[in-house]
Amino acid sequence: MNKGSKLYEGKAKIIYETKDKNLVIQHFKDDATAFNNLKKANVEGKGVLNNRISEFIYTNLSQCGIKTHLIRRLNMREQLIRKAEIFPIEFIVRNIATGSLTKRLGISEGTILENPLLEYCYKKDELNDPLISKEHIYSFGWATKNELEIIDKTSLRINDLLTGMFRAVGIKLVDFKIEYGKAWNKDTEKSEIVLADEISPDTCRLWDAKTEKKLDKDRFRKDLGNIVQAYQEVAKRLGIMPEETNISEVNFGKTIPIKFKKK
Ligand code: 5GP
């Protein structure tokens, strides 16, 4: 699949067009950002690992009936995906209280939530992705009631499937962020809601089940070091590693700070 011109560049990924108007290429970069771009670094090897981990997760979810944008992984950094009109909402699912939830509501760190908690944030960097309610979503036409019902149900199902997948390899799925879009289905000739973006240690909180060691982007956010080693640990436990690479020969794990401004 030939790569056309760049359609969009985000913090961690680039989207390129292809000759097919319904398909695009998603390229995973090594850039890591946190605190709305205030902290930035280049984490060598992160893009390769996220591409592979996200492909593995989307393939498994798809086998369980979840509609996703993934067609196939093309190479170490790229996936062929369905072009989707992304809802301007980050959908967050939480199983254990941490991060912004504990800060916002004073809930004790590590509290196990009786039921998974769904939250919505408006995808707007300039506003720091603020928390919103269903009423905001309906008022501003960001999704319809019917669309949100489908998305909520799908998000809870994804949480069940991923919780089981990670528990089987000794990892607690603490919380995660997902995105959805509307993509064209050429068989039904209708657009349908699909899971978009990525699911990787960049977008989830993953704790070792025994030690609660963080195996996710919090290693970068909190300056805990060994970011790539933690992502590799997740890939290893899931039984996947970038097969085209002899990982021991690649200088994974080097973190090159780009810029760090205090808030
Ligand atoms: P929190 O709201 O506690 O900061 O994040 C909740 C979960 O959503 C965490 O797993 C976090 O990684 C993910 N998340 C929230 N916002 C973003 C975002 O803008 N980018 C990424 N990569 N993950 C996010």
Side-chain angles (χ1 to χ4, degrees):
M1 182 60 69
N2 286 335
K3 215 153 66 180
S5 40
K6 195 194 282 188
L7 283 177
Y8 166 81
E9 178 157 3
K11 285 175 267 187
K13 293 184 293 294
I14 307 173
I15 302 291
Y16 295 95
E17 63 184 7
T18 69
K19 278 188 190 139
D20 184 330
K21 68 177 183 347
N22 293 316
L23 299 177
V24 291
I25 289 171
Q26 172 165 259
H27 174 104
F28 288 76
K29 301 195 282 187
D30 282 343
D31 295 353
T33 67
F35 314 120
N36 199 13
N37 248 348
L38 285 175
K39 182 173 181 177
K40 288 190 200 180
N42 185 275
V43 180
E44 206 176 311
K46 179 178 83 77
V48 174
L49 285 156
N50 282 350
N51 183 21
R52 191 69 186 86
I53 293 170
S54 197
E55 177 213 12
F56 177 82
I57 290 175
Y58 278 47
T59 305
N60 275 274
L61 291 177
S62 168
Q63 282 163 0
C64 297
I66 306 286
K67 289 182 184 142
T68 85
H69 70 169
L70 180 69
I71 305 288
R72 64 176 186 277
R73 183 166 62 87
L74 294 171
N75 54 49
M76 283 181 47
R77 288 195 181 268
E78 289 168 339
Q79 300 178 347
L80 184 64
I81 59 170
R82 292 162 72 185
K83 189 172 186 182
E85 188 194 333
I86 303 294
F87 292 96
I89 303 163
E90 293 186 340
F91 298 89
I92 311 237
V93 186
R94 298 179 186 272
N95 298 307
I96 299 176
T98 188
S100 70
L101 177 67
T102 55
K103 285 200 196 92
R104 201 184 327 119
L105 300 178
I107 310 290
S108 303
E109 171 78 19
T111 306
I112 295 169
L113 305 174
E114 209 163 301
N115 292 299
L117 179 65
L118 292 179
E119 288 180 342
Y120 313 105
C121 293
Y122 181 39
K123 252 170 77 78
K124 202 77 174 162
D125 283 345
E126 307 91 280
L127 302 174
N128 271 327
D129 301 338
L131 186 73
I132 50 171
S133 69
K134 281 192 175 171
E135 282 64 34
H136 290 107
I137 296 176
Y138 302 147
S139 289
F140 302 114
W142 293 328
T144 66
K145 272 195 172 161
N146 182 41
E147 287 167 342
L148 207 54
E149 266 174 34
I150 296 171
I151 289 173
D152 283 356
K153 224 171 117 191
T154 308
S155 300
L156 293 175
R157 174 106 177 101
I158 291 172
N159 185 45
D160 280 348
L161 294 165
L162 293 188
T163 298
M165 175 191 292
F166 283 117
R167 188 185 291 143
V169 297
I171 293 174
K172 286 188 204 173
L173 177 62
V174 174
D175 57 29
F176 59 97
K177 183 264 302 181
I178 41 184
E179 296 186 23
Y180 293 88
K182 282 185 271 187
W184 187 249
N185 181 324
K186 61 179 180 342
D187 297 325
T188 60
E189 300 207 326
K190 282 183 187 155
S191 75
E192 62 185 10
I193 296 176
V194 294
L195 177 67
D197 196 53
E198 67 174 298
I199 300 181
S200 71
D202 262 10
T203 62
C204 301
R205 284 200 177 93
L206 303 168
W207 294 353
D208 178 83
K210 273 199 196 133
T211 63
E212 303 214 325
K213 179 183 171 189
K214 296 179 199 314
L215 300 171
D216 56 60
K217 194 171 155 186
D218 271 355
R219 299 206 73 81
F220 173 68
R221 293 187 187 104
K222 294 171 181 277
D223 287 325
L224 300 174
N226 295 333
I227 305 158
V228 165
Q229 286 82 353
Y231 286 33
Q232 273 181 28
E233 177 69 32
V234 173
K236 269 189 208 152
R237 292 204 200 175
L238 292 173
I240 46 169
M241 282 296 272
E243 67 275 41
E244 294 92 340
T245 311
N246 180 347
I247 212 150
S248 61
E249 286 177 5
V250 176
N251 187 16
F252 274 131
K254 208 163 72 184
T255 306
I256 306 157
I258 298 173
K259 191 170 91 180
F260 181 47
K261 273 194 243 154
K262 283 231 166 80
K263 262 207 213 177

